[in-house]
Amino acid sequence: MTHAHAPHSHPHPEDHLTSSAMLQDIVIGLSDGLTVPFALAAGLSGAVQSSGLVITAGLAEIVAGSIAMGLGGYLSGRTEVEHYESELAREYREIQEVPEVEREEVRELLQEIGLSPATVNLAVQELTADPEQWVKFMMKYELGLEKPDPKQAPKSAATISMAYAVGGLIPLSAYFFTATPDEGLLWSAVITLVCLFIFGYLKSRLTGQPPVWGAFKMAGTGALAAGAAFWVARQFQPHAG
């Protein structure tokens, strides 16, 4: 039984989990960064006649959005760590206060795997002899919790924030090189939708989803958000002037 769980102590799975977490953070930051500033710029393009105003508002939104997204990523990471530590303390307390109940839970978990009664009895005896291994087993197989990296929260904050900023600068970049907001919106839409299509395709490939459908879904979401913002701005424009 000990040999069956030994591979989980090697560093490779942790590296894999860290890479997956970073990839997930990049996806979160980029997807929001490409869509939210794009929609904002599109909305402003329907309401103002100055590319400078679009750029100023867009940069302000990117800064604010990066901070907000980064803070959200940090708090999410800290919440995961705190939840794990809380459950860990509770499991240690339970094996001290109600060990027989906890042993029975171990037995039931092993029986669900399909082990023979003799093997189950031996495994229960070995697992519950070491409180640390006992709790680790319960955390993973009863609660389905893996120990989170306490350093992941600040890493997530930085990754999401930077990815959001990079994503947000893509749709805004067109306004730096065009004379009017309408012209900027045209080029911004082309650049952003191409990036959303490519990003959606790659994201779907990495997550095992149909890549072409994922690409169209991502691009469609961005186009819908920008179109709605542009339409709303146009509706209110006469009242402003």
Side-chain angles (χ1 to χ4, degrees), residues 179-221:
T180 65
D182 286 345
E183 188 181 354
L185 176 59
L186 176 63
W187 283 105
S188 178
V190 172
I191 294 168
T192 305
L193 292 177
V194 169
C195 289
L196 282 169
F197 190 89
I198 295 170
F199 177 64
Y201 183 90
L202 294 175
K203 175 188 172 185
S204 298
R205 282 286 298 270
L206 289 170
T207 56
Q209 303 298 315
V212 176
W213 167 245
F216 277 108
K217 185 167 64 173
M218 181 71 75
T221 300

Side-chain angles (χ1 to χ4, degrees), residues 46-106:
V48 302
Q49 300 301 315
S50 169
S51 292
L53 288 175
V54 177
I55 292 170
T56 301
L59 289 174
E61 196 288 326
I62 290 171
V63 171
S66 295
I67 294 171
M69 291 288 290
L71 181 60
Y74 178 82
L75 293 176
S76 176
R78 285 303 309 162
T79 299
E80 186 179 358
V81 171
E82 290 166 3
H83 173 63
Y84 183 89
E85 290 175 347
S86 173
E87 291 295 330
L88 186 68
R90 185 175 66 84
E91 285 295 333
Y92 270 112
R93 187 169 63 252
E94 287 180 350
I95 68 170
Q96 290 287 334
E97 296 175 355
V98 285
E100 290 308 317
V101 174
E102 293 297 296
R103 282 194 183 90
E104 188 58 33
E105 289 179 356
V106 173

